[in-house]
Amino acid sequence: MHKIFQSNRYCINLLQQLKGVRHPQFTDRGNNQKSYFMKILIIANRLPVKIERTDDSFIVKRSEGGLATGLGSLEIDAEMHWVGWPGIHVENEDEKREITEKLAALNYHPVFLTGEEIETYYEGYSNSTIWPLCHYFFSYVQYKAEYWEAYRRVNGLFCEEALNFIDDNDIVWIHDYQLMLLPKKIRDNRPNVMIGYFHHIPFPSYELFRVLPEREEVLKGLLGADLIGFHTHDYMRHFISAVYRVLDLNCNLDEICLQDRIVHVDAFPMGINYEQYHQATSLPEVKKISKRLIEELGDQTIILSVDRLDYSKGILHRLEGFANFLENHPEYHKKVSLAMIVVPSRDAVERYADLKTQIDQSIGKINGIYSTLGWTPVYYFYQSFPFNELVALYDIADIALVTPLRDGMNLVAKEYLATKNRKPGVLILSEMAGAANELTDAIIINPNDTQEIESALLQALTMPGKEQRLRLRNMQKRISTQTVRKWANDFIAELLHINRQNNEIFQKIVGEQQLSQIKERYDQATARLILLDYDGTLSPFTKRPEEALPSGKLLHLLKRMTADKKNKVVINSGRNRQVLDKWFRGIDLDFAAEHGAFFKENNRWYRNVQEKITWDEEILGILEHTIDKTPRSYLEIKESTLVWHYRNVDVWLAELREKQLINALMGPASRLNLQIVPGNKIVEIKPPETNKGSEVKRLLEKGNYDFILAIGDDTTDEEMFRALPPDGISVKVGSFSPTAKYRIPVQSSVIPFFENLIK
Ligand SMILES: O=P(O)(O)OC[C@H]1O[C@H](O[C@H]2O[C@H](CO)[C@@H](O)[C@H](O)[C@H]2O)[C@H](O)[C@@H](O)[C@@H]1O
Ligand SMILES: O=c1ccn([C@@H]2O[C@H](COP(=O)(O)OP(=O)(O)O)[C@@H](O)[C@H]2O)c(=O)[nH]1
């Protein structure tokens, strides 16, 4: 029984092959690391520093956030540089110079922003357009031409500064939504460097992303990277969906095929420095603060929440849930308090300033109603806490209440769990945080349902110690292995792997050197066999197959090729006999039609398959049903094959229907000994005996050639490439082929290639 499921996913095949061969890990590279690259350049909106102005100077303090810690622990021997905004507004040139010199000692390179740029690029496009869009706050999105202009301009400033430090072989790792145009800008200037981009916030569904007027430029900007990382598979999926819908690019699962390289997309959930938090409760300073807090709070149960002031964090929903809880559970009055840390953030953005007022009012109301002389229901801190104080709060808190309406990851949830060393605690976590994907032993809530917050609080307050410890252990197991160090190392390892893979693939592109090698062999040959696929190779892919008529230029080329008596030129196509005869009338070509089911030699057609097939009712029924459910798809009935075409169907729907169709056809196809072949925007049902390769084999048995060249763009052409002898020349048109020796990235280069060859 012949049943072959060929994948049309060249890139995946290739990836699998290459993965089988070698998957470089840092340790693989032994002592040769320096030959791979010399520097890693991190570019993020903010430098990991705090700069304080003194009377006559500046003090620069490193601020080791999660990112800096992770990158600091990269298992890679390379010089590390950072480019970013120093977080301080300075206009005076002498002051800028002084700060630049101080930062240079740390390998940090500042991009200074003017007041106007902070307003339009940072508060504007970054935090009033992209941030609300990515966090599903559609009605908060503000479009202003000057925001977009500034965003572009400032991305350009980051690029200019970064270019001062980038050499070929360097790694550039760009972070976050403030710099989405930067990967392309750097690629345009330094085509050979490895570029990674990590998106720290959610990437919204296409339906939301599409509203962005600059969606195309933003996506193209990101595609300058070789690797694009997200916290979760959902964000990754949304991004790929936006790419194929907005840019109409060829995407194969986690790969986006561009003309000159593949961009990979993957999920890398960011972790924390687990040990730092886990050991923190043994620090004398932390112990002291914890003790003081316990004394001050008495034996109250403490619910803790920690976030930047941001509408995405669901602070008002949390307060409403807590207020409901107090109203409905008076038995917990004087026994439970909510300690709420709200770190000031982006307060020049109107929405943030408004939210601050609403939070103040809500807390005022709750405390006004329920406070007693000895009990404050909500302790509210509108300030940032240093590490020791924060971990002391994590340590003493019985419950962490994390309720974002959307959050890229949420590191606070992980930090709370990691700190839990001395005594257990319960995490209540919103399902809308990226962290919820990993922390499945938390009490997961939908923060929009304030009743659910209320019942989660009750569940947490009554959870037996044994269950708390079990849940905690499970989650600590995960976060202690998926650390920020692993996150950074995984990302860079993948970037190196992709770079190597892209280099291997792209060595095959037919450039001047490759052309002259092929031409030399062509010129020396005495008997040549030239096998040509038609659609997508000799003719561009059109909306309707009947529109893909040969151009005058092509017909002229074929006449010249066939005029040379040393050439046997065969069009090896999936098209039927009638079309080939009609389109190439008067040219001395041979044909193979319907994937080798028929062939024409010396002006006569022969068949390799039985008489015209009467198609089985069940198969026709399945196809009909698929067409009914898939607008703009249609069936082509040929003499020996049935083809379901879906080139005009939405990509997502087509993918779904393709899978469903193949599943449904499997039974009848195996009963009737038919082969199902997925191709480029088609699924073909055909007898298994013939394919484009069987036709090549037949031709090779009959003739003796000293130059054999096959060219094609589709999966079905792989059979043709595989059937060539070892010295045969296989040329893939378009994206990658696991088999072909050469590649011509675009169809429009095919005719010029042959014109040069026969010149
Ligand atoms: O620089 P700011 O405007 O003050 O904002 C602070 C950072 O907030 C965002 O954090 C995100 O990254 C975290 C780590 O990946 C993730 O856990 C969180 O869910 C995200 O919201 C933002 O992405 C950063 O660029 C800001 O610097
Ligand atoms: O007073 C505070 C409150 C928070 N954080 C840190 O701020 C980060 C917040 O990260 P998260 O991913 O939770 O949210 P983001 O603010 O990045 O959206 C965490 O690492 C916290 O430890 C801090 O240093 N001091």
Side-chain angles (χ1 to χ4, degrees):
M1 190 146 311
H2 300 263
K3 198 151 39 77
I4 299 170
F5 294 92
Q6 281 179 307
S7 163
N8 61 347
R9 309 197 186 292
Y10 304 140
C11 307
I12 295 165
N13 285 345
L14 186 70
L15 183 67
Q16 279 161 354
Q17 284 191 14
L18 290 174
K19 270 184 180 158
V21 179
R22 49 186 174 162
H23 188 133
Q25 296 294 332
F26 298 136
T27 45
D28 281 350
R29 297 198 314 276
N31 294 326
N32 292 329
Q33 292 179 4
K34 290 275 184 186
S35 63
Y36 274 77
F37 51 82
M38 293 152 71
K39 296 193 291 303
I40 298 187
L41 194 79
I42 309 298
I43 315 178
N45 178 53
R46 277 179 198 272
L47 286 172
V49 286
K50 264 206 179 100
I51 299 183
E52 282 163 21
R53 201 185 269 275
T54 59
D55 286 345
D56 57 349
S57 183
F58 294 94
I59 301 173
V60 173
K61 288 186 191 157
R62 267 184 208 254
S63 70
E64 294 285 305
L67 187 59
T69 314
L71 296 164
S73 55
L74 273 176
E75 293 159 16
I76 205 163
D77 179 19
E79 211 175 285
M80 180 94 67
H81 288 251
W82 285 71
V83 171
W85 176 48
I88 186 167
H89 181 202
V90 190
E91 301 263 343
N92 178 300
E93 291 305 320
D94 290 338
E95 291 183 344
K96 282 187 190 171
R97 207 166 305 117
E98 185 192 336
I99 293 174
T100 305
E101 278 164 18
K102 286 194 163 144
L103 289 173
L106 301 166
N107 278 351
Y108 293 168
H109 311 289
V111 175
F112 291 101
L113 300 178
T114 63
E116 188 267 337
E117 282 161 350
I118 292 170
E119 220 175 275
T120 48
Y121 146 79
Y122 172 71
E123 289 156 12
Y125 201 76
S126 299
N127 289 323
S128 300
T129 311
I130 295 291
W131 179 275
L133 187 77
C134 285
H135 288 84
Y136 293 77
F137 281 82
F138 179 53
S139 60
Y140 288 16
V141 175
Q142 286 188 35
Y143 304 109
K144 287 192 187 166
E146 69 260 34
Y147 285 0
W148 171 240
E149 283 313 312
Y151 187 79
R152 268 173 138 176
R153 202 173 57 245
V154 173
N155 271 251
L157 290 180
F158 275 79
C159 181
E160 265 172 45
E161 181 62 21
L163 290 178
N164 293 326
F165 308 97
I166 304 175
D167 298 308
D168 278 358
N169 295 332
D170 281 351
I171 290 181
V172 178
W173 191 2
I174 299 162
H175 289 266
D176 231 355
Y177 65 102
Q178 302 92 346
L179 300 173
M180 288 192 285
L181 304 180
L182 193 53
K184 180 172 186 305
K185 285 184 189 291
I186 297 210
R187 172 79 53 207
D188 289 345
N189 287 281
R190 296 277 192 283
N192 298 324
V193 297
M194 291 173 246
I195 305 177
Y197 169 87
F198 192 84
H199 196 75
H200 289 260
I201 64 174
F203 196 92
S205 136
Y206 164 70
E207 282 306 328
L208 204 61
F209 183 75
R210 70 190 302 189
V211 304
L212 194 68
E214 303 82 16
R215 60 199 182 180
E216 205 174 317
E217 199 170 331
V218 166
L219 292 176
K220 284 184 178 159
L222 291 171
L223 291 180
D226 299 295
L227 174 63
I228 300 176
F230 296 92
H231 283 305
T232 74
H233 287 102
D234 281 333
Y235 308 155
M236 167 185 168
R237 194 164 52 78
H238 293 156
F239 171 72
I240 292 174
S241 151
V243 167
Y244 65 56
R245 291 190 158 89
V246 175
L247 301 180
D248 196 21
L249 284 172
N250 189 6
C251 304
N252 290 322
L253 292 182
D254 59 349
E255 298 176 329
I256 298 159
C257 299
L258 306 183
Q259 278 189 14
D260 55 349
R261 63 204 162 81
I262 301 178
V263 178
H264 289 245
V265 185
D266 211 343
F268 300 87
M270 188 174 174
I272 57 164
N273 183 345
Y274 182 82
E275 282 310 314
Q276 188 193 13
Y277 285 90
H278 202 57
Q279 303 306 335
T281 44
S282 354
L283 298 174
E285 176 65 10
V286 174
K287 277 185 178 163
K288 218 163 80 190
I289 304 170
S290 294
K291 192 165 168 265
R292 198 193 69 222
L293 285 169
I294 294 166
E295 278 164 13
E296 279 172 14
L297 295 165
D299 58 0
Q300 273 194 81
T301 300
I302 295 297
I303 304 165
L304 176 69
S305 79
V306 178
D307 7 47
R308 270 182 312 104
L309 183 132
D310 201 303
Y311 47 80
S312 64
K313 301 287 183 185
I315 300 172
L316 291 172
H317 290 67
R318 185 184 310 154
L319 285 167
E320 196 183 324
F322 185 62
N324 288 348
F325 171 79
L326 292 179
E327 190 181 334
N328 297 326
H329 297 279
E331 69 275 20
Y332 282 101
H333 290 191
K334 301 186 195 170
K335 292 186 179 143
V336 171
S337 285
L338 171 63
M340 220 162 95
I341 297 172
V342 177
V343 180
S345 173
R346 305 173 193 169
D347 41 18
V349 179
E350 207 181 316
R351 291 281 176 193
Y352 289 72
D354 289 351
L355 178 64
K356 164 82 172 52
T357 314
Q358 285 173 280
I359 293 171
D360 291 354
Q361 283 169 353
S362 174
I363 294 172
K365 195 169 159 199
I366 296 171
N367 282 345
I369 297 173
Y370 297 104
S371 290
T372 62
L373 279 180
W375 175 54
T376 309
V378 184
Y379 295 107
Y380 174 35
F381 308 90
Y382 181 60
Q383 56 189 274
S384 174
F385 282 79
F387 178 79
N388 285 348
E389 289 187 26
L390 190 64
V391 287
L393 279 160
Y394 288 151
D395 175 38
I396 61 127
D398 304 277
I399 298 166
L401 183 55
V402 183
T403 61
L405 301 173
R406 291 280 164 183
D407 210 338
M409 171 53 75
N410 196 290
L411 296 176
V412 163
K414 293 186 174 181
E415 290 167 2
Y416 172 73
L417 294 171
T419 309
K420 284 292 166 202
N421 192 347
R422 200 177 52 83
K423 63 166 198 167
V426 183
L427 172 66
I428 301 174
L429 178 61
S430 159
E431 65 178 68
M432 312 295 173
N437 268 0
E438 300 170 87
L439 306 178
T440 46
D441 275 289
I443 299 177
I444 302 288
I445 50 136
N446 174 354
N448 295 295
D449 183 347
T450 47
Q451 268 180 6
E452 208 179 333
I453 299 181
E454 183 189 331
S455 53
L457 282 172
L458 198 61
Q459 188 188 345
L461 287 163
T462 53
M463 188 181 283
K466 199 173 160 198
E467 185 182 344
Q468 290 189 27
R469 276 187 286 275
L470 179 68
R471 287 176 182 245
L472 187 61
R473 206 167 38 241
N474 289 341
M475 292 191 280
Q476 285 185 338
K477 207 168 150 194
R478 163 96 200 173
I479 57 172
S480 60
T481 48
Q482 300 301 312
T483 59
V484 66
R485 171 194 176 125
K486 183 164 188 302
W487 170 80
N489 279 299
D490 283 354
F491 188 92
I492 296 292
E494 180 115 359
L495 184 57
L496 288 168
H497 173 61
I498 286 157
N499 180 260
R500 189 184 295 195
Q501 191 185 313
N502 268 338
N503 284 342
E504 285 174 11
I505 292 165
F506 288 99
Q507 278 163 2
K508 290 179 174 180
I509 288 187
V510 178
E512 259 175 50
Q513 196 194 344
Q514 290 77 1
L515 176 69
S516 70
Q517 283 163 4
I518 301 172
K519 186 163 171 48
E520 199 182 320
R521 288 185 55 193
Y522 182 90
D523 291 341
Q524 285 167 2
T526 52
R528 309 182 191 108
L529 174 63
I530 299 171
L531 299 148
L532 307 167
D533 164 56
Y534 184 69
D535 290 275
T537 301
L538 297 181
S539 167
F541 217 57
T542 53
K543 282 262 168 220
R544 297 155 62 92
E546 61 273 24
E547 289 169 356
L549 265 69
S551 63
K553 215 169 173 185
L554 172 64
L555 293 174
H556 180 67
L557 171 75
L558 293 173
K559 275 185 192 148
R560 285 178 59 210
M561 285 169 77
T562 49
D564 185 340
K565 290 303 158 210
K566 289 180 190 163
N567 289 347
K568 182 175 178 73
V569 185
V570 183
I571 295 194
N572 192 357
S573 169
R575 294 268 179 180
N576 66 29
R577 304 191 264 173
Q578 294 73 16
V579 168
L580 293 174
D581 268 341
K582 189 167 132 200
W583 283 358
F584 298 100
R585 188 165 297 137
I587 304 180
D588 188 18
L589 285 163
D590 286 349
F591 298 125
E594 299 196 21
H595 299 284
F598 306 92
F599 65 93
K600 187 180 189 182
E601 253 174 8
N602 303 323
N603 275 318
R604 226 194 109 188
W605 279 104
Y606 300 87
R607 65 169 63 238
N608 284 323
V609 289
Q610 60 180 85
E611 287 301 310
K612 191 171 175 181
I613 298 173
T614 315
W615 291 104
D616 177 76
E617 285 300 316
E618 188 181 355
I619 291 199
L620 289 172
I622 293 168
L623 283 160
E624 225 166 82
H625 177 71
T626 304
I627 289 163
D628 285 348
K629 307 260 300 173
T630 321
R632 292 192 277 182
S633 76
Y634 57 89
L635 180 66
E636 185 187 3
I637 304 181
K638 296 194 267 192
E639 271 182 84
S640 70
T641 58
L642 291 174
V643 190
W644 177 64
H645 288 263
Y646 60 81
R647 62 179 76 185
N648 300 321
V649 177
D650 169 82
V651 197
W652 181 86
L653 181 64
E655 234 173 65
L656 172 74
R657 295 284 182 250
E658 186 197 27
K659 281 192 195 116
Q660 289 174 331
L661 176 65
I662 292 174
N663 277 343
L665 286 173
M666 269 205 234
S670 85
R671 178 169 53 79
L672 296 162
N673 191 22
L674 290 168
Q675 187 185 14
I676 307 166
V677 185
N680 192 3
K681 315 260 184 207
I682 56 148
V683 174
E684 188 136 5
I685 302 132
K686 59 187 274 295
E689 299 85 29
T690 61
N691 57 42
K692 287 193 175 187
S694 63
E695 181 54 14
V696 177
K697 282 184 198 139
R698 191 192 64 78
L699 285 160
L700 291 177
E701 275 164 22
K702 285 186 69 180
N704 245 328
Y705 303 97
D706 54 359
F707 177 93
I708 304 164
L709 182 146
I711 184 165
D713 74 306
D714 203 349
T715 349
T716 52
D717 298 313
E718 296 292 320
E719 302 276 9
M720 177 160 72
F721 300 152
R722 273 193 283 271
L724 297 188
D727 62 345
I729 298 164
S730 41
V731 186
K732 173 72 202 289
V733 179
S735 62
F736 320 97
S737 152
T739 331
K741 287 188 185 154
Y742 296 98
R743 198 166 79 86
I744 294 182
V746 283
Q747 186 279 328
S748 55
S749 307
V750 173
I751 295 182
F753 164 73
F754 280 108
E755 285 172 343
N756 282 317
L757 192 66
I758 63 171
K759 200 153 61 183

